[in-house]
Structure formats: structure tokens, C-alpha cells
Amino acid sequence: MRLPYSKAQAKANIQSKLECHFGVTPSRATPEQMYNAVAMAVQDILSAQRREWTEKRRRSKGKTAYYLCMEFLMGRSLKNHLFNLNATSIFTDCVKDMGFNLTDLYELEPDAGLGNGGLGRLAACFLDAAAGLRYPLYGYSIRYDYGIFRQKIVDGWQTELPDFWLPGGEVWLTPRPDEAVTVEFDGEIKDEWNGSHHSVSVTGQHVVTALPYDMMVSGYKSGAVGVLRLWSARSPSFDIGLFNQGDYMHAIEESSMAEVISKVLYPSDNHIEGKSLRLRQQYFLVSASMQDIIRKHIARYGTLANLAEKIAIHINETHPALSIPELMRILLDDHGYGWDDAWAVVTKIVAYTNHTVMHEALEVWPEELFSRMLPRIYQIVHEINERLCKHLWIYYPNDWKKISYMAVIAYGQIRMANLCIACCHSVNGVSTIHSNIIKTSLFADYARTFPEKFTNVTNGIAHRRWLAQSNPELSSLLQELIGNGFLTDAAQLTKLRAYADDPAVLDRLEKIKRNNKARMSDYVKQTTGIILDPDSIFDVQVKRLHEYKRQLMNALHILHLYDLLKANPQLDIPPQTFLFAAKAAPGYLMAKQIIRLICSIAKEIDSDPVISKKLKVVFLEDYRVTLAELLMPSAEISEQISLAGTEASGTGNMKLMINGAVTLGTLDGSNVEMLEAVGENNILIFGLHADEVEALRTKGYSPTAYYHNNPDLRAALDRLSGGIGGIRHPEISDSLIGKGSGQADPYMVLADFASYCTIHEEALARYADRKKWNRMSLINIASAGGFSADRALREYAKNIWDLETVD
């Protein structure tokens, strides 16, 4: 890829942006004005490349894929674009000549508030990979005004604050009002028949305008520029009559109700208003996106006859599952298709990725809410269900229980996962163990009935961002040792294995890790005032806060260490720093209580002048991509400790692995494949296996038996009720040993606790041998290439979308 800018051209463009948009010269510009001017100049480069790329794609006449997800956790854009454009040095020199530091400008950009966790970050990695590999893949989501909340920890409790990301982030969004569409909710359906021809009309519907904003996605030195199209909800009209009459509240009510759709990502759904808003968000996304896809296709080809041959639509989790009935509606109602012809097209186009193995996490909607809000879509889903049940009767005559279990609509609920599986031509899990659980347990009946639909694509990460950009010192060492081919082909990281026993390389690797720990320590001190010891072991657990991820087990183990040191302050264990970062869903009380427990433990340890020299616990608030980019390179132990059979895959484990952290985890999710990649001597595995978990459940799991038979565990649990840092936590201990309501210890923290303590002892023993530990770290880096998003994207393109690159 040839960069179309010289330093002089870039400088002239930045100056022009400052003068035209802000009326200032570089000498008078504020840092914020300079950041925006640089971003606009980069946008110019991307726009030119996008035009060239779009023309190449049009000439190719090949297939185009569309990726729908409720969230895309994009992080910051400026640094990423400059890296991909190979323009970092040019812009560094430009802004330096103008009296600014590019690194300081990076810090002015907020993380794009479009995502929440692993699901959204995976989607972002796939767009990055597609652009780098020159695949015509485009994303669709919602332009949330506030995105995921900004987390503040106050007295140990999570407090949610609005995330004002658009000031500073809006520069990367290009509004396209000429391509706005309308989305309809509610109303009354009127069916009309003229012979065999069926037509539908709707009256009394509420109309919302979907205004598109485009965010460009650059490919690494590829010349390709993908697009993430984000929809913002607007009211289509304003009642000036009411306003002029002085009825201001009613005049703005309709506008406000429309625009709330795109205000916040994942509103709390522990009340009916939240459920209703989530359903509106999902239909808003898919209706606007399906209309846009069809419009683009007709503009390009002039016909829908080749739709199934020219597009692929991918549903990432069930949130965009309404793409299926909405696409059916467009073909049936707007383009005159018959049911069978429309169904044949839709089922060839749409594919689905499942991201959960837990039944309680499968998305369902109350039939009454669904039918009232989306009456025409409900009709179509009802017809899909009727035809599905008739088809299943062929396989399972008289087995109404099995058919009702597989039905889309049953017992007053609409099951989105069943809708996806029944309609999509491909259903994939995101790790080998996850895909096997889908086929043998979660959707076993469907897998037996339609085995050809089921496949696996293990998740992957954007390794250029999470290694080359996040860990530049390590990236430089790798380029020195094995060349820079790994930047475009992550599989070349295996070449690093040749240096596994090279003392000089292992020593340099250790120094780089120490430097990254010092960098992380400086950040923590600057932002929180907390002092970390970069010579201690950095033990890191960073991910969504959920009971199945078992941050609670980590906390109990720390309490155990605290008790050991309290009993014997001279105990010979190395200093350890335990770093947590996670956001809990606003309505998830137990998750918030676990955060409070971790903060209580940190407070008590800090108050002890002796033990605090050996242990440090820090809960880092407001976890986001930018913080992860700093934290991942500093980690030495990567905690991946979910109960076996509950984590679909994970991608944080891959980011930590590629930065040289050693995984301490269960045989869950992609940990299984990581074990195969690195070998058992380079990973720390503990705990029950998935089949053992199931056997223990079948036998009858009794957490109280573990409580009574393990004095270390009993002591830690008793501390919860007795008080830590001046705060008692009886609700947590009760949930584990069965004194509260609900199932006791559903994620078997107590069953795995002893094994978890033992593997930590093993980790410390290995860490004491610096050569052995550094070799383990190197092997992890060298084995991480198979977990790149490039590899995963190629598998989707070849095996599911039938998509080819555009050269």
C-alpha cells in the first residue's frame, strides 16, 4: 500500500483543517483542536482509500458479507489508523513541528462507547481482520449516545455514570442523512386476499427515522477500508402546532420517545420498560440494516433475483435474530415474493454464531410484548413456527414435548436461539468445547435433526492491535528475531520457538515484561494514587463480572493467602499483585457485591503494614479497551477460571497469551485449544472437567461438604460473614453454602477451590525459576498465532460466507 501523503502534504492538510474548522493557526490551536484536525486529515486519507476500495469491490461483482451485532467495542481510532496506514512517523513529525506531541493527542480521544465486553471486541477484531485481508465485510450496529456506562467505584460499590464519548469521538463518524430509512413499531395489521395474493397494511404505527453514521475501518497496509454503519434514532417529525399552543411537553414527547432507542447500550431489563426498550433497539437495528442491504443490492444489480448468490448476513449472538423475519417481511410485503421463494432466499443468506452455553442466558421475549410491539413480525415468526413444527412432526411424530422444546414459540415465549437455528444455514460455536456442548447438550435435538448446520470457528483477536500496538517493545524484539512477517501472518510467531532456550532472548523478554509492569504501575499511580510494586508478580483477572467467571474464587484464594500470612508473617512467598477489572451489569446485584468484596479485601490488606508488603489487591475502575491495551502487556499470570462448560471461548485469554502471560485456568472455552497449542508444561490447568461437572450435578452437588471438609476454605468463607475491611458479606457466603434462596454455589466455586489453591502454589514454584518461567512466556507468545482474528475470519469467509478477497 502506498501512502498518498508526504509529510508536507499532511502538514498542509492539518493546517487547513485548523483554519477552516476552528479559525486558528497551529501556534494558537488548543490540544483538542489539534487532535480534531489530525483526525480529519486521517479521515481524508481513509476516504480516498475507501473510494478506491469501493470501486474495486464493485468491479469484482463478488459476494459481500454483512455482520450484525448489538455492540462493536472499537476502542480508540487515531492510533490504530496511523499504524495501519504506516503513517505514525509522518504524523508524529508533523504535530511535533507544530508544537504538539502525538502521544498526548491520543489521550484526548475517548473510547468509542459502542460496546461492552468480549462480544463487541470480537466484532471489532473481525472488522479489522477483514479490512486487513481485503474481504468485503461490513458491520451494522447502533450509534449509542452514551454507550456502556462509565464505572466509578464509591466505597466499594459500582456506580454507573453516563459515558459521554461523542465529544472527541464524533470526528470519526460521517453522517449519511441521504440514506436514512424509517422503522415502524406497534399498529394494527389488516390482511387482504385477492385470490391467492396476500397483502398486508398497517395502521396506527409509530414511525422512527434511522439516521446512518459511517465509521471507517482501516486495513493494515492493505488499501482496503471497511465500514461500520451505525444507526441513530430520530423522530421523523415535530408537532409545531402543539408547541405553538404552549404544550411543550407533548410536543417533544414523541421525539424523546423515538430517540431513547439509541441512547444507551443494554438498558437494564429487570423491569418491563427495560425489556421493551431492548426489543425496540434490536428491531430498530435489524430493520434499518435489512432495508439498507436490500437498497444497496438493488442499486448495484437492479434485481433481487441474485440476492442469495451475492450477499451473506451474519447474526452475532441472538440480538440481531430479527433480521430473519424482517428480511422475510421485506421480500414478502415490499417485493411481492411468495413465502416459499422468500424462505429459500433467506435461509441461504443468514448464518448465526452462538456465544453462550447456559440455558438461562438464551434470549426469550414475552409473546404478548412481542406481538403488540411488532405485529407484522410476529405474524411472520408465528408462520415460521407453524411450518417448523409441521416439519419436526415428520422426525418426531407424537413427541409433542420434544417439538415444543424445539419450537420458536411455546409457553408464551418467543425463543430467539431456536429462531436462529431453525432458519440459518450455518450455526457455529466459538471454541471446540463450546461447539461440542452445543451439539451434545444445549441444542442436541436440533443437532441430531439438522447436523449439517453445525460447525465451529474458534474466536480470534486482532493481533496487530493487541501485540504490535499495545506492546511495541515486544513487537520490536520479535521483528528483530523473526522478521516482521508475523504482522500479516500471525502463524509466523511459531518461529520464536527457536529461541526458547536462548538465555539472552529470555533475559530480554523478562526485561520487557518488567518495563511494561513499570508502565502500568505509573498509570495506576497517576490515575488512582495507588502504588504498585513492578517487581511483584502481576496476577490479572480482567473480564465481565459474572458469577460463572468466578472472580469470587480468586477473591477467596486471596483471603486464604491473607490468613496464611496473618498466622505466619514470615512465610516465604514472593510479593504478589492481584489486579481485577470488570463491569457488572447495572441490575446484577451479586456481581456488584463481589466487586465490593474485592474492594474490602484490598482495604484490609492495605491496612496491614506487614502483609501489604507481600500482597496487593487493586480493582481498576472503568475497564475499557484503552486500559486493556496497557494492562495486557504487564500481566504475568492470566486468570481464566470459569467453571468448565460455562465459558464459550474467551478472547481476553488470547490477548494475555500473545503478550507473554501464562494462563492459569480450567479446561473451559478456548483454554482447551490453548493447552493443545502450548503443551501442558506451559500452562497451569486445574479444576473439574466439563464431564465431571455434569456428573457431579447429576449425583447431587453438596457445597456444604466442601465447606466442612476443607478448613482453609471454611476459614475464608467464615471471614465473609465475620467482616473484611469493616464490612460483612453474609449474602455471598450464604449463596455459596446454601443459606439463601436459589441454588447453592451454582458455579462450583467450593468444589474447585482446593485445586485452585494447589495450582497457585505450582505457579509460584515455577515463577521462582526465572529461566523456566520466561521460557513458558516465550512459548505462549510463539503459540498465539492460531488465535488471530485473521485465521478466524478466513474460516468464516471460506466455510460459512463463501466470500473471496478483493485484490
Side-chain angles (χ1 to χ4, degrees):
M1 179 197 73
R2 182 180 65 84
L3 187 69
Y5 265 21
S6 64
K7 176 182 173 182
Q9 288 172 311
K11 192 171 184 179
N13 199 7
I14 294 172
Q15 290 175 331
S16 175
K17 301 298 183 189
L18 287 171
E19 292 169 2
C20 294
H21 293 273
F22 306 105
V24 297
T25 61
S27 63
R28 291 183 176 274
T30 65
E32 289 77 13
Q33 290 169 336
M34 179 58 70
Y35 155 73
N36 279 284
V38 170
M40 291 176 189
V42 172
Q43 288 276 73
D44 285 349
I45 302 175
L46 295 174
S47 294
Q49 290 193 353
R50 178 185 175 184
R51 287 191 294 271
E52 294 178 10
W53 164 247
T54 300
E55 184 56 34
K56 286 182 180 179
R57 185 181 66 84
R58 289 183 181 279
R59 287 198 303 266
S60 74
K61 297 292 184 181
K63 206 172 189 180
T64 302
Y66 300 97
Y67 198 85
L68 276 72
C69 189
M70 281 296 288
E71 53 173 304
F72 282 79
L73 195 57
M74 303 299 286
R76 291 173 173 172
S77 293
L78 179 57
K79 182 179 180 181
N80 187 57
H81 285 317
L82 290 178
F83 177 83
N84 287 339
L85 293 168
N86 197 29
T88 303
S89 60
I90 288 176
F91 278 82
T92 298
D93 292 344
C94 282
V95 300
K96 183 178 180 181
D97 291 347
M98 297 177 184
F100 293 86
N101 183 291
L102 186 61
T103 301
D104 293 339
L105 298 186
Y106 291 155
E107 295 303 312
L108 296 176
E109 180 181 353
D111 281 44
L114 301 169
N116 172 35
L119 184 73
R121 186 55 223 167
L122 178 74
C125 285
F126 282 175
L127 292 187
D128 177 279
L133 297 170
R134 298 189 298 278
Y135 282 112
L137 174 71
Y138 297 92
Y140 281 103
S141 193
I142 295 176
R143 196 205 77 160
Y144 302 101
D145 291 353
Y146 298 109
I148 191 64
F149 60 86
R150 186 163 57 89
Q151 182 192 52
K152 188 75 176 175
I153 304 299
V154 181
D155 295 330
W157 280 105
Q158 171 180 289
T159 303
E160 298 92 26
L161 303 174
D163 176 22
F164 299 105
W165 76 278
L166 284 173
E170 200 166 28
V171 67
W172 301 106
L173 302 178
T174 302
R176 295 298 306 272
D178 56 312
E179 296 186 356
V181 298
T182 58
V183 179
E184 297 182 356
F185 298 94
D186 311 312
E188 297 291 332
I189 297 293
K190 183 179 180 181
D191 294 288
E192 295 182 358
W193 291 90
N194 183 6
S196 61
H197 179 70
H198 175 229
S199 63
V200 174
S201 60
V202 186
T203 59
Q205 67 269 42
H206 293 99
V207 179
V208 176
T209 297
L211 178 65
Y213 289 79
D214 287 349
M215 174 181 278
M216 288 183 281
V217 181
S218 55
Y220 177 67
K221 294 184 178 181
S222 69
V225 178
V227 173
L228 170 60
R229 174 153 286 193
L230 303 165
W231 299 102
S232 182
R234 296 289 184 269
S235 174
S237 62
F238 178 73
D239 195 329
I240 191 67
L242 283 175
F243 190 86
N244 288 336
Q245 294 169 23
D247 194 353
Y248 306 132
M249 292 302 295
H250 284 99
I252 65 172
E253 183 178 5
E254 184 176 346
S255 175
S256 298
M257 289 305 296
E259 294 177 10
V260 75
I261 291 173
S262 57
K263 284 295 181 186
V264 178
L265 169 66
Y266 296 147
S268 293
D269 63 349
N270 54 357
H271 46 73
I272 189 60
E273 291 82 3
K275 291 182 186 297
S276 176
L277 179 53
R278 283 203 181 194
L279 183 56
R280 286 186 187 274
Q281 286 184 327
Q282 293 184 9
Y283 184 66
F284 174 77
L285 166 62
V286 302
S287 180
S289 301
M290 292 304 103
Q291 291 179 64
D292 195 52
I293 291 169
I294 294 299
R295 179 193 58 78
K296 288 178 179 177
H297 183 86
I298 292 175
R300 185 177 183 186
Y301 295 105
T303 178
L304 292 180
N306 61 348
L307 189 66
E309 288 71 47
K310 294 299 183 180
I311 73 166
I313 295 172
H314 204 90
I315 296 171
N316 195 32
E317 241 328 328
T318 56
H319 309 126
L322 293 175
S323 299
I324 296 163
E326 175 64 8
L327 189 53
M328 287 291 292
R329 184 197 67 79
I330 292 171
L331 295 179
L332 292 168
D333 298 353
D334 297 345
H335 295 278
Y337 274 63
W339 181 277
D340 291 340
D341 290 338
W343 183 252
V345 171
V346 171
T347 53
K348 289 178 183 176
I349 288 174
V350 186
Y352 160 59
T353 295
N354 171 274
H355 287 274
T356 184
V357 299
M358 294 184 286
H359 284 277
E360 62 270 23
L362 296 177
E363 192 174 40
V364 297
W365 294 108
E367 189 174 1
E368 187 278 329
L369 171 66
F370 193 101
S371 61
R372 174 169 42 83
M373 184 186 297
L374 306 171
R376 177 57 176 147
I377 295 302
Y378 174 73
Q379 280 188 335
I380 293 171
V381 172
H382 191 276
E383 182 67 19
I384 289 172
N385 185 63
E386 288 289 312
R387 292 174 181 243
L388 170 66
C389 290
K390 288 179 181 178
H391 186 70
L392 292 175
W393 182 264
I394 299 172
Y395 291 89
Y396 309 110
N398 300 314
D399 193 345
W400 283 111
K401 182 177 180 181
K402 186 182 292 293
I403 292 173
S404 65
Y405 184 77
M406 299 173 71
V408 177
I409 304 176
Y411 308 111
Q413 293 183 325
I414 298 180
R415 303 159 172 171
M416 305 312 284
N418 283 11
L419 175 65
C420 290
I421 298 171
C423 303
C424 293
H425 68 87
S426 175
V427 177
N428 73 279
V430 289
S431 71
T432 299
I433 186 174
H434 172 226
S435 295
N436 287 337
I437 290 172
I438 284 176
K439 290 188 290 186
T440 60
S441 177
L442 194 65
F443 304 123
D445 292 329
Y446 267 111
R448 283 190 291 268
T449 309
F450 309 111
E452 71 284 353
K453 290 190 177 191
F454 289 82
T455 188
N456 175 67
V457 182
T458 297
N459 282 345
I461 60 169
H463 72 282
R464 288 172 288 274
R465 184 166 197 144
W466 293 103
L467 172 58
Q469 294 180 53
S470 302
N471 202 338
E473 197 174 353
L474 176 58
S475 181
S476 295
L477 174 61
L478 294 176
Q479 292 181 62
E480 177 186 330
L481 296 176
I482 65 174
N484 63 5
F486 72 92
L487 293 172
T488 52
D489 179 12
Q492 292 191 30
L493 286 171
T494 57
K495 295 178 181 178
L496 187 62
R497 284 180 176 263
Y499 298 92
D501 297 304
D502 187 320
V505 170
L506 295 179
D507 183 59
R508 289 180 66 185
L509 197 63
E510 181 173 4
K511 289 178 179 177
I512 290 170
K513 181 64 72 174
R514 173 60 170 74
N515 291 342
N516 287 328
K517 290 164 68 178
R519 188 162 58 112
M520 182 65 199
S521 299
D522 289 343
Y523 168 84
V524 172
K525 183 179 179 181
Q526 291 169 9
T527 55
T528 69
I530 297 172
I531 297 175
L532 305 184
D533 177 9
D535 291 313
S536 65
I537 301 172
F538 276 26
D539 185 307
V540 171
Q541 187 174 15
V542 289
K543 52 183 74 257
R544 187 71 168 162
L545 204 303
H546 196 289
E547 288 171 274
Y548 86 83
K549 295 178 184 291
R550 301 202 294 190
Q551 287 95 343
L552 181 53
M553 185 163 65
N554 193 344
L556 289 175
H557 171 251
I558 296 169
L559 277 178
H560 168 59
L561 291 178
Y562 178 84
D563 287 343
L564 290 178
L565 286 168
K566 200 71 176 173
N568 182 9
Q570 305 306 315
L571 187 66
D572 185 20
I573 61 172
Q576 298 170 73
T577 296
F578 295 92
L579 297 171
F580 294 85
K583 290 183 178 180
Y588 193 172
L589 180 59
M590 180 56 72
K592 290 184 172 183
Q593 290 173 333
I594 293 171
I595 291 175
R596 187 173 182 236
L597 170 62
I598 293 167
C599 293
S600 299
I601 295 171
K603 181 180 178 181
E604 176 143 334
I605 289 174
D606 285 345
S607 68
D608 191 308
V610 176
I611 294 177
S612 61
K613 293 178 181 179
K614 291 282 190 178
L615 299 180
K616 186 74 174 180
V617 177
V618 179
F619 190 96
L620 299 164
E621 66 182 16
D622 203 30
Y623 187 51
R624 60 202 183 280
V625 173
T626 299
L627 177 55
E629 290 172 337
L630 188 64
L631 180 58
M632 299 291 184
S634 73
E636 293 174 291
I637 294 177
S638 165
E639 298 269 356
Q640 308 297 329
I641 59 176
S642 55
L643 177 66
T646 59
E647 182 72 83
S649 174
T651 52
N653 52 355
M654 302 170 188
K655 296 162 194 167
L656 289 157
M657 175 192 191
I658 205 169
N659 280 285
V662 176
T663 300
L664 186 156
T666 54
L667 283 176
D668 196 28
S670 54
N671 290 355
V672 176
E673 288 149 274
M674 290 169 64
L675 169 61
E676 295 172 357
V678 302
E680 61 182 11
N681 292 327
N682 299 296
I683 193 169
L684 299 160
I685 297 296
F686 77 97
L688 297 166
H689 297 188
D691 57 344
E692 294 172 329
V693 169
E694 193 59 35
L696 187 54
R697 281 202 183 108
T698 302
K699 178 182 176 182
Y701 174 53
S702 174
T704 55
Y706 294 91
Y707 171 80
H708 290 297
N709 293 328
N710 186 330
D712 294 333
L713 175 60
R714 185 167 63 254
L717 285 169
D718 289 347
R719 286 292 307 279
L720 298 182
S721 299
I724 301 164
I727 299 173
R728 298 175 65 249
H729 302 272
E731 65 285 331
I732 296 179
S733 59
D734 289 351
S735 74
L736 292 174
I737 57 179
K739 294 182 181 178
S741 60
Q743 180 185 354
D745 193 16
Y747 301 108
M748 299 187 180
V749 170
L750 275 56
D752 271 348
F753 180 78
S755 179
Y756 183 60
C757 293
T758 299
I759 202 64
H760 266 279
E761 293 172 3
E762 172 67 18
L764 296 184
R766 294 199 199 184
Y767 191 88
D769 186 335
R770 304 305 302 136
K771 180 179 178 181
K772 178 183 289 186
W773 186 268
N774 293 331
R775 189 182 190 279
M776 291 170 66
S777 178
L778 182 145
I779 294 297
N780 272 269
I781 298 167
S783 305
F787 300 102
S788 76
D790 289 0
R791 184 272 312 154
L793 208 283
R794 286 191 182 99
E795 292 181 12
Y796 277 104
K798 179 182 178 181
N799 301 328
I800 297 177
W801 304 331
D802 191 25
L803 196 65
E804 296 181 351
T805 59
V806 176
D807 296 318

